[in-house]
Amino acid sequence: MLPAGPLRPTPMQACARTGRRPCSVRRMLSVGIVLSAGGMLGDPWHSGVLAAIMRDTGFDARDAALIVGTSAGSTTAVGLRAGASPLDRAAHHLGEPMSAQGEEVLGRIHTPWSEIDEGFRLAPMSPRMSIRAIWPPWEIDPIRFAFGVLPRGRRRADSLSTRISELHPAPWTSQPTWVVAVRSDDGNRVVFGRDDITVSIGDAVQASCAVPGVYRPKKIGRHEYVDGGLHSSTNADLVAPLGFDVVIVSSAMTAAESTRSWISDPVRAWFSRKLDSEVDAIRRAGTPVLVVQPDAVSLPRLSRNSDDARSVATKAGVDAAGRALDAVGGSGIHELLAD
């Protein structure tokens, strides 16, 4: 159980537990949600963030006009679109009881997690990606350069595609959902669900989660794809021109400015700088943004490697979202979400 502010719905939010939505007539709010990469703790973090937002404002992330998911964030996105409420997703990671609807949605998955070891190959994954990452006009991208020269990952997680397709049996979501990946032969970003590429929801998520050097690229059609985090851990720039009433960014791989360090964690600092640029673009378009990312309190909790790491990450997301909402108390974002 959470030490404070337990994830218990108010009467106005009780529909999230029963599946009866909407509980009351509300103005149609246009909300874009961005869910970052984050490895094994990404989904727990996002689940905690969105559960806290629902608890504190009543906004249900399932009602988002668009959800953009990168790597781990794509699994959260599909879980929401499959019908699991933010409260149920957080309860799942906390080991707490879920609603009947949450049990039904997550109970669709019956394939156990497994990985196939295809052996080690010394050849780099994509020399062309590395070359393009430092090619004129010399907007150097050290992340894509480094991963392009790494050997191809030896593991293949086809079970992820199967499990996602069980969770969401339809070929794609009925509400707009974008899953971000990177084409491995040239390093270009692709957005499944937006771009003209025929793909199942399960294969799109597997591609978005294919961490270079760990997992083999996912073959879809004529091309291979890898983790969308190579372009950006958040890819929040995708929502900048879309004119939402508000954008929510849940970012597990960045850090609040006061806690960034180019010395101790240069990757997190790099992704943080990219997120800053993306958020600036959204705000320049006139859209208010709520950014929830690790700060000095929550960052150490995301580095735990223990049996309860998922629960700890979920609680960290809950607490960080509460602090982020408090910080924007006078900006109108809280009121927009609670409208």
Side-chain angles (χ1 to χ4, degrees):
M1 186 66 64
L2 296 179
L7 297 177
R8 293 287 181 254
T10 66
M12 286 293 290
Q13 298 165 2
C15 54
R17 287 294 196 190
T18 63
R20 295 189 296 270
R21 296 190 297 136
C23 293
S24 59
V25 177
R26 295 179 58 180
R27 180 176 69 84
M28 293 302 292
L29 183 71
S30 176
V31 179
I33 294 179
V34 175
L35 304 172
S36 77
M40 296 301 292
L41 300 183
D43 180 48
W45 167 269
H46 299 317
S47 298
V49 167
L50 297 176
I53 290 173
M54 186 172 182
R55 179 196 65 189
D56 293 349
T57 72
F59 175 73
D60 188 334
R62 292 176 294 179
D63 296 329
L66 171 68
I67 304 179
V68 178
T70 300
S71 195
S74 68
T75 67
T76 310
V78 176
L80 292 166
R81 293 310 200 198
S85 78
L87 295 175
D88 277 329
R89 294 194 60 79
H92 171 69
H93 291 301
L94 292 169
E96 297 180 355
M98 293 185 290
S99 70
Q101 183 183 22
E103 293 283 1
E104 185 277 323
V105 172
L106 295 181
R108 297 170 191 166
I109 302 174
H110 55 79
T111 297
W113 175 264
S114 63
E115 296 179 0
I116 300 170
D117 190 334
E118 295 195 329
F120 178 75
R121 290 177 56 186
L122 187 58
M125 181 190 73
S126 179
R128 186 182 179 195
M129 180 193 296
S130 295
I131 292 171
R132 286 174 62 92
I134 58 173
W135 203 251
W138 291 295
E139 295 179 0
I140 296 175
D141 187 328
I143 301 297
R144 273 186 283 192
F145 175 82
F147 280 104
V149 298
L150 281 178
R152 291 169 65 89
R154 60 185 299 164
R155 289 145 61 184
R156 205 177 77 228
D158 292 348
S159 64
L160 174 58
S161 176
T162 303
R163 288 165 62 87
I164 291 295
S165 294
E166 291 170 349
L167 177 66
H168 193 285
W172 202 264
T173 61
S174 59
Q175 300 164 286
T177 307
W178 294 355
V179 175
V180 184
V182 167
R183 197 163 52 221
S184 64
D185 58 356
D186 57 13
N188 286 340
R189 178 173 66 181
V190 297
V191 184
F192 299 119
R194 183 199 70 172
D195 299 347
D196 188 17
I197 301 173
T198 301
V199 62
S200 70
I201 192 76
D203 285 353
V205 170
Q206 184 182 348
S208 184
C209 295
V211 180
V214 179
Y215 293 104
R216 291 290 171 89
K218 176 64 177 176
K219 183 78 176 292
I220 299 172
R222 297 184 298 107
H223 297 284
E224 290 186 328
Y225 300 89
V226 292
D227 198 311
L230 264 69
H231 181 86
S232 162
S233 70
T234 42
N235 291 286
D237 61 302
L238 292 170
V239 305
L242 301 182
F244 293 116
D245 291 326
V246 63
V247 166
I248 298 169
V249 179
S250 174
S251 177
M253 287 191 68
T254 59
E257 189 170 0
S258 61
T259 63
R260 297 174 192 171
S261 172
W262 287 95
I263 297 174
S264 62
D265 198 340
V267 172
R268 190 176 290 274
W270 169 261
F271 284 135
S272 298
R273 190 177 74 171
K274 295 201 77 169
L275 176 58
D276 288 345
S277 176
E278 294 165 357
V279 170
D280 285 345
I282 299 170
R283 288 177 173 150
R284 285 198 303 272
T287 302
V289 188
L290 174 67
V291 178
V292 184
Q293 59 186 328
D295 54 18
V297 177
S298 53
L299 191 57
R301 299 164 73 182
L302 287 178
S303 62
R304 287 184 53 161
N305 184 17
S306 60
D307 292 340
D308 65 344
R310 288 175 178 269
S311 174
V312 171
T314 304
K315 293 176 183 178
V318 169
D319 295 343
R323 289 191 294 273
L325 285 168
D326 288 343
V328 299
S331 69
I333 291 179
H334 190 289
E335 290 73 15
L336 273 174
L337 292 172
D339 187 11

mmCIF file of all heavy atoms in Angstrom, residues 7 40-48 72 75-76 86-98 106 307-315:
data_model
loop_
_atom_site.group_PDB
_atom_site.id
_atom_site.type_symbol
_atom_site.label_atom_id
_atom_site.label_comp_id
_atom_site.label_asym_id
_atom_site.label_seq_id
_atom_site.Cartn_x
_atom_site.Cartn_y
_atom_site.Cartn_z
ATOM 1 N N LEU A 7 -4.057 4.695 -3.976
ATOM 2 C CA LEU A 7 -4.757 4.714 -5.254
ATOM 3 C C LEU A 7 -6.160 4.141 -5.081
ATOM 4 O O LEU A 7 -6.478 3.059 -5.562
ATOM 5 C CB LEU A 7 -3.965 3.937 -6.289
ATOM 6 C CG LEU A 7 -2.600 4.541 -6.595
ATOM 7 C CD1 LEU A 7 -1.851 3.676 -7.581
ATOM 8 C CD2 LEU A 7 -2.752 5.952 -7.133
ATOM 9 N N MET A 40 12.707 -2.220 -18.152
ATOM 10 C CA MET A 40 11.767 -3.022 -17.374
ATOM 11 C C MET A 40 10.964 -2.192 -16.378
ATOM 12 O O MET A 40 9.897 -2.608 -15.934
ATOM 13 C CB MET A 40 12.519 -4.128 -16.624
ATOM 14 C CG MET A 40 13.193 -5.130 -17.533
ATOM 15 S SD MET A 40 12.035 -5.983 -18.640
ATOM 16 C CE MET A 40 11.109 -6.954 -17.450
ATOM 17 N N LEU A 41 11.476 -1.009 -16.012
ATOM 18 C CA LEU A 41 10.764 -0.175 -15.044
ATOM 19 C C LEU A 41 9.938 0.920 -15.710
ATOM 20 O O LEU A 41 9.281 1.713 -15.024
ATOM 21 C CB LEU A 41 11.762 0.452 -14.063
ATOM 22 C CG LEU A 41 12.588 -0.537 -13.234
ATOM 23 C CD1 LEU A 41 13.478 0.200 -12.253
ATOM 24 C CD2 LEU A 41 11.687 -1.531 -12.505
ATOM 25 N N GLY A 42 9.965 0.964 -17.041
ATOM 26 C CA GLY A 42 9.232 2.001 -17.746
ATOM 27 C C GLY A 42 7.733 1.891 -17.561
ATOM 28 O O GLY A 42 7.058 2.881 -17.214
ATOM 29 N N ASP A 43 7.180 0.701 -17.779
ATOM 30 C CA ASP A 43 5.733 0.533 -17.643
ATOM 31 C C ASP A 43 5.264 0.770 -16.205
ATOM 32 O O ASP A 43 4.264 1.465 -15.989
ATOM 33 C CB ASP A 43 5.312 -0.851 -18.138
ATOM 34 C CG ASP A 43 3.823 -1.087 -18.012
ATOM 35 O OD1 ASP A 43 3.041 -0.207 -18.420
ATOM 36 O OD2 ASP A 43 3.430 -2.153 -17.493
ATOM 37 N N PRO A 44 5.962 0.239 -15.188
ATOM 38 C CA PRO A 44 5.554 0.572 -13.817
ATOM 39 C C PRO A 44 5.575 2.079 -13.531
ATOM 40 O O PRO A 44 4.659 2.607 -12.893
ATOM 41 C CB PRO A 44 6.573 -0.174 -12.954
ATOM 42 C CG PRO A 44 6.991 -1.328 -13.798
ATOM 43 C CD PRO A 44 6.998 -0.808 -15.199
ATOM 44 N N TRP A 45 6.609 2.765 -13.999
ATOM 45 C CA TRP A 45 6.692 4.221 -13.810
ATOM 46 C C TRP A 45 5.488 4.906 -14.440
ATOM 47 O O TRP A 45 4.790 5.687 -13.796
ATOM 48 C CB TRP A 45 7.988 4.754 -14.401
ATOM 49 C CG TRP A 45 8.031 6.248 -14.547
ATOM 50 C CD1 TRP A 45 7.649 6.976 -15.637
ATOM 51 C CD2 TRP A 45 8.470 7.217 -13.569
ATOM 52 N NE1 TRP A 45 7.818 8.323 -15.410
ATOM 53 C CE2 TRP A 45 8.311 8.490 -14.160
ATOM 54 C CE3 TRP A 45 8.969 7.114 -12.285
ATOM 55 C CZ2 TRP A 45 8.655 9.652 -13.486
ATOM 56 C CZ3 TRP A 45 9.306 8.292 -11.600
ATOM 57 C CH2 TRP A 45 9.154 9.537 -12.198
ATOM 58 N N HIS A 46 5.229 4.607 -15.739
ATOM 59 C CA HIS A 46 4.104 5.238 -16.426
ATOM 60 C C HIS A 46 2.778 4.919 -15.737
ATOM 61 O O HIS A 46 1.910 5.790 -15.619
ATOM 62 C CB HIS A 46 4.041 4.765 -17.881
ATOM 63 C CG HIS A 46 5.241 5.100 -18.689
ATOM 64 N ND1 HIS A 46 5.870 6.327 -18.628
ATOM 65 C CD2 HIS A 46 5.935 4.374 -19.618
ATOM 66 C CE1 HIS A 46 6.906 6.341 -19.463
ATOM 67 N NE2 HIS A 46 6.959 5.174 -20.066
ATOM 68 N N SER A 47 2.624 3.683 -15.300
ATOM 69 C CA SER A 47 1.380 3.285 -14.642
ATOM 70 C C SER A 47 1.162 4.096 -13.371
ATOM 71 O O SER A 47 0.046 4.539 -13.084
ATOM 72 C CB SER A 47 1.412 1.790 -14.326
ATOM 73 O OG SER A 47 1.521 1.018 -15.513
ATOM 74 N N GLY A 48 2.232 4.304 -12.599
ATOM 75 C CA GLY A 48 2.124 5.118 -11.396
ATOM 76 C C GLY A 48 1.791 6.564 -11.703
ATOM 77 O O GLY A 48 0.943 7.182 -11.045
ATOM 78 N N ALA A 72 9.298 0.834 -23.937
ATOM 79 C CA ALA A 72 8.448 0.429 -22.813
ATOM 80 C C ALA A 72 7.128 1.192 -22.806
ATOM 81 O O ALA A 72 6.089 0.647 -22.438
ATOM 82 C CB ALA A 72 9.187 0.643 -21.497
ATOM 83 N N THR A 75 4.188 -0.429 -24.581
ATOM 84 C CA THR A 75 3.437 -1.481 -23.882
ATOM 85 C C THR A 75 2.371 -0.868 -22.986
ATOM 86 O O THR A 75 1.259 -1.391 -22.887
ATOM 87 C CB THR A 75 4.375 -2.383 -23.058
ATOM 88 O OG1 THR A 75 4.943 -1.644 -21.966
ATOM 89 C CG2 THR A 75 5.507 -2.929 -23.922
ATOM 90 N N THR A 76 2.697 0.235 -22.328
ATOM 91 C CA THR A 76 1.706 0.935 -21.516
ATOM 92 C C THR A 76 0.570 1.449 -22.380
ATOM 93 O O THR A 76 -0.604 1.336 -22.021
ATOM 94 C CB THR A 76 2.355 2.110 -20.772
ATOM 95 O OG1 THR A 76 3.540 1.689 -20.102
ATOM 96 C CG2 THR A 76 1.393 2.716 -19.764
ATOM 97 N N PRO A 86 -5.738 3.223 -15.669
ATOM 98 C CA PRO A 86 -4.483 3.542 -14.975
ATOM 99 C C PRO A 86 -4.445 3.004 -13.545
ATOM 100 O O PRO A 86 -3.397 2.553 -13.080
ATOM 101 C CB PRO A 86 -4.452 5.071 -14.999
ATOM 102 C CG PRO A 86 -5.236 5.443 -16.213
ATOM 103 C CD PRO A 86 -6.341 4.425 -16.285
ATOM 104 N N LEU A 87 -5.572 3.048 -12.851
ATOM 105 C CA LEU A 87 -5.602 2.539 -11.481
ATOM 106 C C LEU A 87 -5.339 1.037 -11.449
ATOM 107 O O LEU A 87 -4.614 0.535 -10.582
ATOM 108 C CB LEU A 87 -6.950 2.845 -10.835
ATOM 109 C CG LEU A 87 -7.274 4.326 -10.621
ATOM 110 C CD1 LEU A 87 -8.689 4.483 -10.086
ATOM 111 C CD2 LEU A 87 -6.280 4.984 -9.685
ATOM 112 N N ASP A 88 -5.903 0.313 -12.405
ATOM 113 C CA ASP A 88 -5.676 -1.128 -12.456
ATOM 114 C C ASP A 88 -4.239 -1.457 -12.843
ATOM 115 O O ASP A 88 -3.647 -2.404 -12.309
ATOM 116 C CB ASP A 88 -6.642 -1.791 -13.441
ATOM 117 C CG ASP A 88 -8.002 -2.069 -12.827
ATOM 118 O OD1 ASP A 88 -8.055 -2.319 -11.610
ATOM 119 O OD2 ASP A 88 -9.006 -2.038 -13.558
ATOM 120 N N ARG A 89 -3.684 -0.685 -13.751
ATOM 121 C CA ARG A 89 -2.302 -0.956 -14.173
ATOM 122 C C ARG A 89 -1.344 -0.731 -12.997
ATOM 123 O O ARG A 89 -0.404 -1.493 -12.792
ATOM 124 C CB ARG A 89 -1.923 -0.072 -15.363
ATOM 125 C CG ARG A 89 -2.722 -0.398 -16.618
ATOM 126 C CD ARG A 89 -2.104 0.237 -17.852
ATOM 127 N NE ARG A 89 -0.740 -0.248 -18.053
ATOM 128 C CZ ARG A 89 -0.445 -1.427 -18.586
ATOM 129 N NH1 ARG A 89 -1.400 -2.248 -18.966
ATOM 130 N NH2 ARG A 89 0.821 -1.789 -18.742
ATOM 131 N N ALA A 90 -1.584 0.326 -12.230
ATOM 132 C CA ALA A 90 -0.741 0.565 -11.057
ATOM 133 C C ALA A 90 -0.947 -0.529 -10.020
ATOM 134 O O ALA A 90 0.020 -1.036 -9.426
ATOM 135 C CB ALA A 90 -1.051 1.936 -10.467
ATOM 136 N N ALA A 91 -2.198 -0.914 -9.785
ATOM 137 C CA ALA A 91 -2.481 -1.962 -8.806
ATOM 138 C C ALA A 91 -1.794 -3.264 -9.191
ATOM 139 O O ALA A 91 -1.291 -3.995 -8.326
ATOM 140 C CB ALA A 91 -3.996 -2.169 -8.695
ATOM 141 N N HIS A 92 -1.758 -3.560 -10.472
ATOM 142 C CA HIS A 92 -1.088 -4.781 -10.953
ATOM 143 C C HIS A 92 0.372 -4.801 -10.531
ATOM 144 O O HIS A 92 0.879 -5.809 -10.032
ATOM 145 C CB HIS A 92 -1.217 -4.850 -12.471
ATOM 146 C CG HIS A 92 -0.388 -5.926 -13.099
ATOM 147 N ND1 HIS A 92 -0.646 -7.275 -12.949
ATOM 148 C CD2 HIS A 92 0.727 -5.846 -13.896
ATOM 149 C CE1 HIS A 92 0.251 -7.975 -13.622
ATOM 150 N NE2 HIS A 92 1.087 -7.143 -14.190
ATOM 151 N N HIS A 93 1.071 -3.681 -10.731
ATOM 152 C CA HIS A 93 2.491 -3.626 -10.376
ATOM 153 C C HIS A 93 2.710 -3.568 -8.864
ATOM 154 O O HIS A 93 3.768 -3.977 -8.377
ATOM 155 C CB HIS A 93 3.152 -2.419 -11.044
ATOM 156 C CG HIS A 93 3.275 -2.546 -12.530
ATOM 157 N ND1 HIS A 93 3.966 -3.569 -13.140
ATOM 158 C CD2 HIS A 93 2.790 -1.774 -13.538
ATOM 159 C CE1 HIS A 93 3.910 -3.426 -14.455
ATOM 160 N NE2 HIS A 93 3.197 -2.355 -14.714
ATOM 161 N N LEU A 94 1.722 -3.067 -8.144
ATOM 162 C CA LEU A 94 1.836 -2.975 -6.691
ATOM 163 C C LEU A 94 1.405 -4.255 -5.994
ATOM 164 O O LEU A 94 1.543 -4.369 -4.774
ATOM 165 C CB LEU A 94 0.989 -1.805 -6.179
ATOM 166 C CG LEU A 94 1.471 -0.399 -6.566
ATOM 167 C CD1 LEU A 94 0.410 0.626 -6.219
ATOM 168 C CD2 LEU A 94 2.789 -0.072 -5.896
ATOM 169 N N GLY A 95 0.875 -5.199 -6.756
ATOM 170 C CA GLY A 95 0.394 -6.430 -6.159
ATOM 171 C C GLY A 95 -0.906 -6.255 -5.407
ATOM 172 O O GLY A 95 -1.216 -7.033 -4.502
ATOM 173 N N GLU A 96 -1.679 -5.226 -5.776
ATOM 174 C CA GLU A 96 -2.955 -4.955 -5.129
ATOM 175 C C GLU A 96 -4.100 -5.471 -5.996
ATOM 176 O O GLU A 96 -3.925 -5.704 -7.201
ATOM 177 C CB GLU A 96 -3.113 -3.451 -4.875
ATOM 178 C CG GLU A 96 -2.074 -2.881 -3.919
ATOM 179 C CD GLU A 96 -2.254 -1.394 -3.698
ATOM 180 O OE1 GLU A 96 -3.134 -0.797 -4.366
ATOM 181 O OE2 GLU A 96 -1.516 -0.829 -2.881
ATOM 182 N N PRO A 97 -5.292 -5.641 -5.418
ATOM 183 C CA PRO A 97 -6.436 -6.134 -6.197
ATOM 184 C C PRO A 97 -6.806 -5.170 -7.322
ATOM 185 O O PRO A 97 -6.756 -3.952 -7.158
ATOM 186 C CB PRO A 97 -7.566 -6.222 -5.163
ATOM 187 C CG PRO A 97 -6.870 -6.283 -3.839
ATOM 188 C CD PRO A 97 -5.619 -5.475 -3.989
ATOM 189 N N MET A 98 -7.186 -5.740 -8.448
ATOM 190 C CA MET A 98 -7.674 -4.961 -9.578
ATOM 191 C C MET A 98 -9.183 -5.100 -9.681
ATOM 192 O O MET A 98 -9.790 -5.969 -9.050
ATOM 193 C CB MET A 98 -7.020 -5.438 -10.877
ATOM 194 C CG MET A 98 -5.533 -5.182 -10.969
ATOM 195 S SD MET A 98 -4.867 -5.646 -12.604
ATOM 196 C CE MET A 98 -4.999 -7.437 -12.509
ATOM 197 N N LEU A 106 -6.068 -8.003 -18.404
ATOM 198 C CA LEU A 106 -4.740 -8.583 -18.239
ATOM 199 C C LEU A 106 -4.775 -10.108 -18.284
ATOM 200 O O LEU A 106 -3.772 -10.748 -18.611
ATOM 201 C CB LEU A 106 -4.116 -8.099 -16.935
ATOM 202 C CG LEU A 106 -3.829 -6.590 -16.880
ATOM 203 C CD1 LEU A 106 -3.180 -6.214 -15.555
ATOM 204 C CD2 LEU A 106 -2.952 -6.141 -18.028
ATOM 205 N N ASP A 307 13.768 -7.453 -5.999
ATOM 206 C CA ASP A 307 12.530 -8.157 -6.302
ATOM 207 C C ASP A 307 11.325 -7.223 -6.328
ATOM 208 O O ASP A 307 10.335 -7.497 -7.018
ATOM 209 C CB ASP A 307 12.290 -9.269 -5.277
ATOM 210 C CG ASP A 307 13.297 -10.396 -5.395
ATOM 211 O OD1 ASP A 307 13.924 -10.511 -6.468
ATOM 212 O OD2 ASP A 307 13.461 -11.150 -4.414
ATOM 213 N N ASP A 308 11.397 -6.137 -5.570
ATOM 214 C CA ASP A 308 10.266 -5.212 -5.529
ATOM 215 C C ASP A 308 10.501 -3.967 -6.378
ATOM 216 O O ASP A 308 9.850 -2.942 -6.183
ATOM 217 C CB ASP A 308 9.971 -4.807 -4.084
ATOM 218 C CG ASP A 308 11.114 -4.009 -3.456
ATOM 219 O OD1 ASP A 308 12.232 -4.023 -4.011
ATOM 220 O OD2 ASP A 308 10.882 -3.389 -2.396
ATOM 221 N N ALA A 309 11.423 -4.046 -7.357
ATOM 222 C CA ALA A 309 11.775 -2.877 -8.162
ATOM 223 C C ALA A 309 10.570 -2.309 -8.905
ATOM 224 O O ALA A 309 10.415 -1.092 -9.037
ATOM 225 C CB ALA A 309 12.884 -3.234 -9.151
ATOM 226 N N ARG A 310 9.699 -3.178 -9.427
ATOM 227 C CA ARG A 310 8.533 -2.692 -10.159
ATOM 228 C C ARG A 310 7.578 -1.929 -9.241
ATOM 229 O O ARG A 310 7.056 -0.873 -9.608
ATOM 230 C CB ARG A 310 7.799 -3.865 -10.811
ATOM 231 C CG ARG A 310 8.533 -4.481 -11.999
ATOM 232 C CD ARG A 310 7.795 -5.702 -12.515
ATOM 233 N NE ARG A 310 8.446 -6.272 -13.673
ATOM 234 C CZ ARG A 310 8.181 -5.947 -14.932
ATOM 235 N NH1 ARG A 310 7.272 -5.035 -15.181
ATOM 236 N NH2 ARG A 310 8.821 -6.512 -15.929
ATOM 237 N N SER A 311 7.363 -2.454 -8.052
ATOM 238 C CA SER A 311 6.507 -1.766 -7.101
ATOM 239 C C SER A 311 7.102 -0.420 -6.700
ATOM 240 O O SER A 311 6.397 0.595 -6.627
ATOM 241 C CB SER A 311 6.306 -2.645 -5.859
ATOM 242 O OG SER A 311 5.586 -1.961 -4.857
ATOM 243 N N VAL A 312 8.404 -0.411 -6.465
ATOM 244 C CA VAL A 312 9.077 0.835 -6.085
ATOM 245 C C VAL A 312 8.979 1.860 -7.210
ATOM 246 O O VAL A 312 8.727 3.049 -6.982
ATOM 247 C CB VAL A 312 10.548 0.557 -5.727
ATOM 248 C CG1 VAL A 312 11.327 1.865 -5.550
ATOM 249 C CG2 VAL A 312 10.639 -0.279 -4.449
ATOM 250 N N ALA A 313 9.165 1.419 -8.461
ATOM 251 C CA ALA A 313 9.083 2.332 -9.606
ATOM 252 C C ALA A 313 7.670 2.888 -9.763
ATOM 253 O O ALA A 313 7.477 4.061 -10.111
ATOM 254 C CB ALA A 313 9.518 1.614 -10.876
ATOM 255 N N THR A 314 6.669 2.052 -9.507
ATOM 256 C CA THR A 314 5.281 2.515 -9.590
ATOM 257 C C THR A 314 5.022 3.600 -8.549
ATOM 258 O O THR A 314 4.450 4.655 -8.850
ATOM 259 C CB THR A 314 4.309 1.342 -9.373
ATOM 260 O OG1 THR A 314 4.588 0.307 -10.327
ATOM 261 C CG2 THR A 314 2.865 1.801 -9.540
ATOM 262 N N LYS A 315 5.457 3.362 -7.324
ATOM 263 C CA LYS A 315 5.274 4.359 -6.266
ATOM 264 C C LYS A 315 6.056 5.637 -6.577
ATOM 265 O O LYS A 315 5.586 6.742 -6.289
ATOM 266 C CB LYS A 315 5.717 3.778 -4.927
ATOM 267 C CG LYS A 315 4.840 2.632 -4.435
ATOM 268 C CD LYS A 315 5.387 2.040 -3.140
ATOM 269 C CE LYS A 315 4.568 0.848 -2.684
ATOM 270 N NZ LYS A 315 5.107 0.220 -1.460
#
